[in-house]
Amino acid sequence: NRMRPLIGIPCHTDFRAGTGRPIYCNNRTYVHAVEGAGGVPILIPLLDNLSSLDTLLPRLDGLLLPGGVDVRPDYYGEEPHPLLDDGDRKLDELELTLANWALQEDIPTLGVCRGMQLLNVAMGGSLYQDLLNQCLGSIQHCNRDLPRTHIAHRVYVEAGSRMDKILGTHEFWVNSLHHQAVKTPGKGVRISGRAEDGVAELLEAPEYRFMMAVQCHPEEIYTKEPACARLFSAFVQACGTIVPVEEEVNVEAHY
């Protein structure tokens, strides 16, 4: 019986409601989407010393880069737009370190929303800092006043792309909670799906084993949208394909 793949999910900083205590955290939906697809999620805190990652990273089979605050634009050579949020440089440093490690070691990676943007920046691409102001004619992509499960628009999947094979459909409906998006794709990046306004919605890097990202939040809608469930299944499956046979252990006795 194979060990389930261990998949790292970076945390962000926040404050506990009520006490105001500083915490590291992330949304439960990421955890349960990975767990439901057969992976073992582990939350990665913002470490003061990133060299501590040397102990953790060799043990990870995959990486999920989650949604969150805006990536700081100096990472892609631009001045901040007035509508940019404050961002978090320490989080950018952690996640860019994780992304660069995943790219270097060819570790299966799934980016979600900010995660798609961050992956594109890690690969040398740039972002629209605010879609409504910089991408004229774009639809309303930032629906943060609505429930996170609110279905906002269609995504059209490029025929013959890897996303097309994984998602099993040429179009599907998604939620939408972002005000930024990929502008110039990074080196080796293929935009394999777009909204009706042309905004990048799906990203893949074909020369890697599994380097994929989505602009929507599939972890909020995978129970209702089969394409999103298939994405998590394919991701966890890719993470599980690198377990050497000699490392297999029977863990059923512990359940």
Side-chain angles (χ1 to χ4, degrees):
N1 187 36
R2 285 197 166 196
M3 293 281 275
R4 297 179 191 185
L6 188 65
I7 297 169
I9 307 173
C11 289
H12 58 261
T13 53
D14 213 332
F15 296 94
R16 186 181 290 285
T19 62
R21 282 189 205 122
I23 57 173
Y24 295 127
C25 58
N26 218 320
N27 300 341
R28 296 180 189 185
T29 44
Y30 295 114
V31 166
H32 297 306
V34 167
E35 184 191 21
V40 178
I42 182 166
L43 295 177
I44 304 172
L46 277 73
L47 300 162
D48 284 331
N49 185 350
L50 290 181
S51 66
S52 306
L53 292 172
D54 295 346
T55 302
L56 173 66
L57 297 186
R59 302 176 189 194
L60 295 182
D61 302 308
L63 175 66
L64 190 155
L65 294 167
V69 294
D70 297 339
V71 178
R72 293 182 68 96
D74 45 312
Y75 287 110
Y76 49 95
E78 289 190 13
E79 290 297 310
H81 187 278
L83 291 170
L84 196 73
D85 70 31
D86 289 341
D88 182 342
R89 187 169 294 284
K90 205 170 166 186
L91 178 64
D92 288 346
E93 284 173 7
L94 170 67
E95 291 192 345
L96 285 166
T97 301
L98 292 170
N100 289 326
W101 161 77
L103 289 162
Q104 187 181 315
E105 302 294 328
D106 197 8
I107 301 296
T109 300
L110 177 63
V112 170
C113 198
R114 165 190 161 92
M116 170 161 162
Q117 297 158 12
L118 183 116
L119 200 53
N120 188 57
V121 169
M123 296 181 77
S126 67
L127 307 177
Y128 289 112
Q129 292 190 44
D130 185 74
L131 277 171
L132 283 179
N133 280 270
Q134 297 181 323
C135 190
L136 298 177
S138 65
I139 58 174
Q140 172 69 305
H141 285 272
C142 191
N143 300 290
R144 291 179 194 168
D145 48 338
L146 297 168
R148 288 174 68 82
T149 52
H150 172 78
I151 300 301
H153 64 80
R154 271 194 191 94
V155 169
Y156 298 94
V157 187
E158 189 186 308
S161 65
R162 185 156 184 204
M163 276 292 190
D164 184 27
K165 293 183 184 73
I166 286 172
L167 301 174
T169 182
H170 296 315
E171 59 179 75
F172 64 111
W173 288 85
V174 298
N175 50 358
S176 189
L177 298 156
H178 61 106
H179 82 114
Q180 298 198 319
V182 170
K183 182 166 65 175
T184 312
K187 187 174 183 294
V189 168
R190 175 179 181 179
I191 300 302
S192 48
R194 296 181 184 273
E196 57 255 39
D197 58 2
V199 167
E201 291 281 341
L202 305 175
L203 176 157
E204 56 193 71
E207 67 264 39
Y208 293 89
R209 287 191 305 131
F210 190 106
M211 196 62 59
M212 320 278 283
V214 290
Q215 192 51 72
C216 67
H217 279 269
E219 78 285 358
E220 302 285 356
I221 58 174
Y222 72 96
T223 55
K224 299 185 189 71
E225 175 48 71
C228 293
R230 285 193 282 267
L231 179 64
F232 280 108
S233 295
F235 170 51
V236 172
Q237 197 176 353
C239 296
T241 53
I242 53 171
V243 182
V245 175
E246 62 267 23
E247 278 187 29
E248 290 188 9
V249 205
N250 188 348
V251 289
E252 281 176 344
H254 299 296
Y255 291 149

